[in-house]
């Protein structure tokens, strides 16, 4: 098991915890030098805050915890799903240069009628548009991450 597998597993656990509390099944984690800085679920539903995605929340908590405007060089961001444009902006502004993804939007958009509907958007295109020097590692525990959204869609239809 690689570090990426391990840390993505922790992000998946956060997504599952959030989903068990009625949240959308998103999880994020920020690591530095093999240590977890923060791990977060989405809190958008329970907080009635459309900006409380797991990714924006992770950036906020990590910068506050470290008392820094941007995260230290070498920080790695883990997301169970490809970040939306808002979240990508927060990750960019947080100083992240490595993003590890579980599921891509194209893999999960079929499970929702209103989420993930960003046409041709990808975090790669966002990085290119903004000149962000971002390394993307995708497909880490992809099947488990896709299952988070597939299972949530099943639950919502019951």
């Amino acid at each position: 098991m690689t570090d990426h597998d391990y840390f993505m597993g922790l992000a998946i656990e956060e997504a599952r915890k959030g989903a068990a509390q009625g949240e959308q099944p998103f999880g994020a984690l920020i690591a530095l030098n093999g240590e977890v800085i923060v791990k977060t679920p989405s809190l958008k539903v329970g907080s009635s805050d459309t900006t409380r995605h797991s990714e924006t929340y992770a950036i906020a908590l990590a910068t506050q915890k470290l008392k820094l405007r941007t995260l230290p060089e070498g920080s790695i961001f883990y997301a169970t799903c490809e970040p939306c444009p808002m979240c990508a902006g927060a990750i960019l502004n947080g100083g992240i240069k490595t993003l590890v993804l579980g599921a891509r939007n194209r893999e999960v958009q079929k499970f929702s009628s209103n989420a993930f509907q960003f046409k041709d958007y990808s975090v790669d295109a966002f990085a290119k548009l903004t000149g962000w020097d971002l390394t993307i590692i995708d497909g880490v525990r992809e099947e488990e991450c896709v299952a988070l959204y597939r299972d949530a869609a099943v639950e919502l239809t019951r």
Side-chain angles (χ1 to χ4, degrees):
M1 179 185 296
T2 68
D3 283 350
H4 293 323
D5 289 330
Y6 172 73
F7 289 125
M8 185 61 73
L10 296 176
I12 290 167
E13 286 177 20
E14 289 299 305
R16 287 182 180 140
K17 284 181 198 173
Q21 297 174 355
E23 295 291 342
Q24 295 176 322
F26 296 93
L29 180 142
I30 301 172
L32 177 63
N33 300 325
E35 299 289 327
V36 174
I37 297 174
V38 297
K39 54 186 180 172
T40 58
S42 174
L43 297 176
K44 179 180 170 181
V45 175
S47 67
S48 298
D49 180 350
T50 60
T51 67
R52 192 60 68 92
H53 294 196
S54 60
E55 300 92 344
T56 55
Y57 190 40
I59 290 291
L61 289 180
T63 54
Q64 291 167 3
K65 179 179 181 177
L66 299 175
K67 298 184 184 345
L68 297 169
R69 277 188 51 221
T70 59
L71 295 168
E73 186 75 28
S75 297
I76 300 174
F77 198 101
Y78 293 82
T80 57
C81 187
E82 186 169 6
C84 73
M86 176 184 70
C87 292
I91 296 167
L92 164 65
N93 284 303
I96 296 289
K97 303 249 187 216
T98 302
L99 174 62
V100 180
L101 299 176
R104 288 286 191 153
N105 286 332
R106 66 180 174 268
E107 300 300 322
V108 296
Q109 67 186 2
K110 58 190 156 218
F111 303 117
S112 175
S113 61
N114 60 0
F116 315 110
Q117 304 304 318
F118 299 120
K119 288 192 165 201
D120 295 331
Y121 167 82
S122 71
V123 73
D124 312 73
F126 182 92
K128 184 177 179 181
L129 176 71
T130 60
W132 184 8
D133 180 23
L134 179 66
T135 298
I136 300 170
I137 301 165
D138 64 0
V140 177
R141 298 180 75 159
E142 181 177 17
E143 288 181 24
E144 290 171 84
C145 290
V146 170
L148 292 167
Y149 311 102
R150 183 187 60 239
D151 296 348
V154 169
E155 289 297 318
L156 293 174
T157 60
R158 290 185 185 167

